[in-house]
Amino acid sequence: MDVFFAHYQALREAVERDEPALWSALANSISEEKTSWLKHRDSTPAWNLSEVTAEDIADSTSGDVLSGLAGSAGVAEGIVFVVRSPDDFASFPKGAVLVARTTNPAWTPLFYSACAVITESGGPLSHGAVTAREMQIPAVMSVRGVMARLSNGQRVKVDAGTGGWRYWVNSRRNSLRQ
């Protein structure tokens, strides 16, 4: 599967010319790309890529309040389970609060077991919000820094209200509330 770390032009040239030096260069390039991907896959992306400051980094992981957008109305309380990739799917416990950077259709089976959803990106029309509404579970989207702030086993209350647009996490009480 490492072929997906190859750059198209380098792969094409190695296949067409079939020279040992090109295959070696391709292997080195793939190794560097994969190493970089593994190093960065769990890091929190900058909130605003064009204007990252030290304050932005501090804001994403400290303070009492994290803001988000309502995705699906309702209130639920449960234990946090952070899902970083499909590798975590099999470990997801029934009744847990699904915390993720984002979701996509492959993540839908988790919603059947989740009591609530919190994502670091997305909004009311994102996959996570729409699926949470279909499953009638509360969801708060676009909660900046949530992947760094919440951890597995932490108890939170998710309060997505009755359809308002702005909600927050009170970290002192470990709860999401209106």
Side-chain angles (χ1 to χ4, degrees):
M1 297 303 290
D2 287 356
V3 72
F4 292 103
F5 292 102
H7 291 270
Y8 174 76
Q9 194 57 39
L11 179 61
R12 181 177 179 176
E13 189 175 357
V15 170
E16 286 177 352
R17 292 183 38 200
D18 196 22
E19 296 173 9
L22 291 175
W23 286 110
S24 180
L26 177 64
N28 289 337
S29 171
I30 288 172
S31 178
E32 289 172 11
E33 291 294 325
K34 184 175 182 179
T35 299
S36 177
W37 179 80
L38 289 169
K39 177 182 173 188
H40 294 99
R41 74 176 169 180
D42 291 333
S43 63
T44 300
W47 191 254
N48 182 341
L49 295 176
S50 65
E51 300 173 8
V52 179
T53 67
E55 186 177 293
D56 288 333
I57 294 166
D59 283 350
S60 70
T61 59
S62 64
D64 293 338
V65 176
L66 295 176
S67 297
L69 302 173
S72 177
V75 178
E77 190 171 329
I79 300 299
V80 166
F81 192 86
V82 178
V83 180
R84 297 187 183 282
S85 74
D87 295 337
D88 299 327
F89 287 7
S91 302
F92 189 82
K94 186 165 183 61
V97 176
L98 169 61
V99 177
R101 189 164 326 281
T102 189
T103 66
N104 65 50
W107 294 52
T108 302
L110 297 179
F111 286 71
Y112 287 98
S113 296
C115 70
V117 177
I118 306 168
T119 62
E120 198 164 69
S121 65
L125 296 178
S126 65
H127 171 268
V130 171
T131 305
R133 285 193 298 273
E134 289 173 355
M135 303 288 186
Q136 298 180 0
I137 59 175
V140 179
M141 324 313 285
S142 199
V143 179
R144 186 176 182 178
V146 73
M147 297 289 287
R149 185 55 159 286
L150 299 181
S151 57
N152 289 350
Q154 192 172 1
R155 190 165 203 57
V156 295
K157 181 178 180 183
V158 179
D159 183 352
T162 57
W165 71 275
R166 196 132 176 103
Y167 300 85
W168 54 87
V169 178
N170 183 325
S171 64
R172 238 183 263 159
R173 293 189 347 196
N174 295 332
S175 65
L176 279 171
R177 62 180 187 147
Q178 182 175 14

